[in-house]
Amino acid sequence: MSETRRKIMRVLDGETLSPPPIWLMRQAGRYLPEYRQTRQKAGSFLDLCYSPDHAVEVTLQPIRRYGFDAAILFSDILVIPDAMKRNVRFTEGHGPEMDPIDEAGIANLNDEEIVSYLKPVLETVSRLRAELPSETTLLGFCGAPWTVATYMIAGKGTPDQAPARLFAYKHPKAFERLLMLLADVSADYLVAQIDAGADAVQIFDSWAGVLGEREFAAYAVKPVARMIASIRAQRPRAKIIAFAKGAGYLLKDYRRKTGADAIGLDWSVPLEFARDLQKDGAVQGNLDPMRVVAGGRALEEGIDEILEKLGNGPLIFNLGHGITPQADPENVRLLVERVRGSRG
Ligand code: CP3
């Protein structure tokens, strides 16, 4: 029975597998020529996210090429503000943009029918589960409330999320309301992904690293804990990976405080500390994506060190953040082969 369970699900239950299973954040993306081709056919980036035909195709591309142990639903964390009618757009060379929200906007925010607006994404999930090889884990995802809120407040990406940090100090009540609304709709959205066929889900808190200690507790831990409690109240067996990028030492009791099964680690997390975190359950990470761009010894040494330090505990091999467009697809092949060639 346990032999036939999907590897990533076994690691999420705390098993140590040698070699560890592997997938990469942003594994479907611009570094792949076949992605660029489908992306062009689809039109805008959001059209790609909302077209089940195209979204299924790009999700499967890295699975066909590399046989990763997980496929991650192709979508974006900003479909939630799009469903909230914040006029989200992705323009070439600008990154994401939307209408910036203020106190009045938060008071009037649309949090109705979010899941029904996102039906095309849920259709992508169910088609994927039907088309994927049975051994491949299907991951759903969404953004954490803090990270999604940073884009909603600024209306765009910023280098250090100063607009959202400032807004939170000046308007704590409105900000708290925004985070709690996002937590509730995001939890229901993840439940819908699980019901559509996702085996596990990942919550991306990509901007956790700009928060001070007190703010991390209030804006990163509390809303994610609320989401996970809501998901588990609805689907007790749900498996959840939480990735709080840049959180460093604050990850110490992040698992216990949020209830996540696995903790995603960026490449700045020291491997000794990662090993401590592994005593309480699975960790995922944490190769610097620039090592994949560099290739050669930099790639090999980075892989070997992670396998040596973390390979004797529950590990899902991954990068410490998304793969970048300039990565050579051949280096990704070498990465997968080297991880799989390992013996514990
Ligand atoms: O393969 C996968 O990992 C699944 C797809 C996925 C995308 N975005 C596709 C995408 C996932 C899981 C995300 C998450 C996401 N989106 C995050 C959290 C993870 C992270 O990277 O920190 C964030 C912060 C976003 C918001 C976002 N989407 C930004 C800031 C950008 C522009 C930057 C960029 O890389 O261009 C996007 C666009 C985006 N999302 C692209 C892809 C493949 C590139 C757009 C394109 O193809 O034109």
Side-chain angles (χ1 to χ4, degrees):
M1 164 74 184
S2 78
E3 276 70 38
T4 62
R5 283 196 70 216
R6 297 177 179 126
K7 286 180 183 159
I8 288 181
M9 303 309 289
R10 292 169 60 189
V11 175
L12 289 175
D13 279 337
E15 251 189 84
T16 298
L17 296 185
S18 184
I22 176 172
W23 70 280
L24 306 183
M25 290 188 274
R26 289 277 180 100
Q27 64 192 20
R30 285 163 295 184
Y31 75 105
L32 289 178
E34 59 269 35
Y35 171 85
R36 297 195 295 270
Q37 207 176 28
T38 311
R39 168 85 171 75
Q40 207 165 18
K41 267 198 267 174
S44 79
F45 177 70
L46 280 178
D47 289 337
L48 174 55
C49 293
Y50 295 139
S51 154
D53 285 344
H54 292 316
V56 166
E57 167 58 23
V58 295
T59 305
L60 295 176
Q61 286 168 352
I63 307 304
R64 289 188 199 116
R65 234 188 220 259
Y66 305 113
F68 286 121
D69 294 292
I72 183 160
L73 161 68
F74 190 84
S75 180
D76 198 85
I77 65 166
L78 300 180
V79 297
I80 289 282
D82 187 50
M84 292 176 144
K85 310 274 188 284
R86 301 309 302 164
N87 187 22
V88 174
R89 60 257 177 210
F90 288 82
T91 37
E92 217 55 61
H94 284 266
E97 290 176 309
M98 69 189 82
D99 298 344
I101 200 163
D102 58 12
E103 271 186 290
I106 292 170
N108 295 320
L109 193 59
N110 168 50
D111 65 341
E112 303 285 310
E113 296 181 29
I114 303 302
V115 171
S116 77
Y117 183 90
L118 297 173
K119 268 209 190 98
V121 180
L122 301 170
E123 187 183 332
T124 303
V125 173
S126 54
R127 284 210 220 162
L128 280 168
R129 190 56 278 172
E131 289 191 32
L132 280 166
S134 69
E135 68 271 19
T136 311
T137 297
L138 176 57
L139 298 175
F141 76 93
C142 72
W146 160 250
T147 289
V148 174
T150 63
Y151 290 97
M152 292 181 77
I153 301 247
K156 58 182 185 203
T158 70
D160 55 4
Q161 306 303 356
R165 284 155 52 216
L166 180 59
F167 186 95
Y169 290 123
K170 286 173 76 172
H171 310 289
K173 287 230 164 66
F175 194 63
E176 168 91 3
R177 175 176 154 79
L178 175 60
L179 292 179
M180 294 307 134
L181 280 177
L182 286 169
D184 292 343
V185 301
S186 303
D188 290 348
Y189 177 47
L190 291 183
V191 167
Q193 292 182 27
I194 291 166
D195 291 348
D199 298 296
V201 291
Q202 174 156 324
I203 300 170
F204 285 88
D205 215 348
S206 303
W207 287 100
V210 302
L211 293 168
E213 181 176 8
R214 199 177 282 278
E215 291 71 32
F216 183 78
Y219 305 147
V221 174
K222 187 179 166 196
V224 169
R226 181 182 171 106
M227 281 178 68
I228 294 179
S230 167
I231 296 167
R232 293 250 165 78
Q234 300 178 68
R235 301 294 176 268
R237 296 163 60 87
K239 288 291 167 190
I240 301 163
I241 306 167
F243 174 54
K245 182 173 181 287
Y249 182 73
L250 296 174
L251 289 174
K252 191 172 180 305
D253 36 31
Y254 185 68
R255 188 196 314 263
R256 180 174 57 79
K257 288 185 171 160
T258 59
D261 296 284
I263 303 297
L265 307 175
D266 67 78
W267 66 91
S268 74
V269 175
L271 295 176
E272 281 303 318
F273 179 47
R275 226 208 300 239
D276 284 343
L277 297 174
Q278 231 179 4
K279 289 179 187 147
D280 304 319
V283 297
Q284 172 176 282
N286 73 339
L287 189 74
D288 182 351
M290 285 307 120
R291 289 190 188 266
V292 185
V293 177
R297 288 304 299 154
L299 180 58
E300 293 167 4
E301 284 168 3
I303 297 166
D304 293 353
E305 200 182 4
I306 291 170
L307 291 174
E308 186 192 312
K309 297 270 174 56
L310 303 180
N312 294 319
L315 171 67
I316 300 167
F317 199 100
N318 206 315
L319 306 182
H321 197 199
I323 189 167
T324 58
Q326 71 268 41
D328 181 343
E330 261 325 291
N331 286 345
V332 176
R333 184 176 311 285
L334 294 172
L335 161 61
V336 173
E337 282 171 3
R338 196 168 184 95
V339 170
R340 293 216 164 126
S342 69
R343 296 284 176 272

